[in-house]
Amino acid sequence: MQLLELLAKEFPLQLIVSSPMRRALMTAEQAFNGSTCPLLISPLPSEMGDGGCDYGSPRSLLETEFPHHDFSLLEEEWWPVEETMTQMGERVERFKAYLNSRPETHIAVVSHGRFLTKFIEVDEFCVFGNCDCREVVLEEDGRISDSGIISLKVDHLIGKVEKE
């Protein structure tokens, strides 16, 4: 079963927000191929900027490689550099406030392990594997509660999706 099919059955998706890092954009395209939901690309849910693979690509290059997406929310060099956990935590809080300001209530976020671990308020380095999916509730005050409804492990090597 495709991820989009499984999510559509249980989750009335209204918006997809993706990090502009290439690996996130490719995941969003694969996972939500065929979706009619708008895809918004934001620098806020990018990975913590503390290493070579965690730096992004210039906006102009992304616009060339992904011409069907809107990169208007990005500056030319949009990624965080030499970011501390405190700084990433502040960015997570800005992202929560941004999501809460949106009219949509069912939003898929395509991001990165450490950012999402901080987003769900877990005090560990990273609790997400590649292509993990979890449904959480973002409260108006920015707290996160686990809905317990959707938790998926996606085996991207064989294209298999299983509900846990």
Side-chain angles (χ1 to χ4, degrees):
M1 177 179 287
Q2 295 295 321
L3 178 58
L4 184 59
E5 292 175 74
L6 186 58
L7 289 176
K9 283 184 176 181
E10 299 191 36
F11 190 72
L13 191 60
Q14 298 168 314
L15 176 69
I16 303 160
V17 180
S18 179
S19 158
M21 293 186 158
R22 284 184 177 122
R23 60 189 185 260
L25 292 170
M26 288 186 244
T27 298
E29 287 185 343
Q30 289 292 313
F32 300 105
N33 184 23
S35 173
T36 58
C37 293
L39 172 64
L40 186 124
I41 299 166
S42 169
L44 289 174
S46 62
E47 185 60 284
M48 181 178 179
D50 71 346
C53 68
D54 294 330
Y55 298 140
S57 301
R59 173 184 166 166
S60 56
L61 181 61
L62 293 172
E63 288 172 328
T64 301
E65 292 181 2
F66 301 91
H68 45 288
H69 294 311
D70 177 8
F71 293 94
S72 61
L73 295 178
L74 302 183
E75 296 178 12
E76 180 65 13
E77 292 188 9
W78 52 266
W79 55 91
V81 178
E82 303 291 326
E83 189 175 42
T84 65
M85 286 298 282
T86 299
Q87 291 168 323
M88 186 178 71
E90 292 166 355
R91 187 163 46 87
V92 164
E93 293 307 313
R94 287 194 311 272
F95 186 59
K96 287 179 179 181
Y98 173 75
L99 292 177
N100 271 330
S101 75
R102 301 283 311 180
E104 300 88 358
T105 57
H106 293 87
I107 302 171
V109 176
V110 182
S111 185
H112 310 276
R114 282 188 288 168
F115 182 88
L116 291 171
T117 298
K118 192 78 166 171
F119 182 86
I120 65 169
E121 302 168 353
V122 174
D123 193 24
E124 292 182 34
F125 180 74
C126 182
V127 297
F128 285 84
N130 287 341
C131 299
D132 278 359
C133 299
R134 297 184 190 178
E135 181 181 22
V136 297
V137 176
L138 174 59
E139 305 291 346
E140 287 184 22
D141 65 2
R143 288 179 304 112
I144 296 291
S145 60
D146 185 354
S147 71
I149 296 173
I150 296 179
S151 182
L152 304 173
K153 289 283 186 189
V154 180
D155 186 338
H156 63 283
L157 296 177
I158 61 173
K160 182 177 162 187
V161 179
E162 290 184 4
K163 189 170 179 183
E164 292 188 317

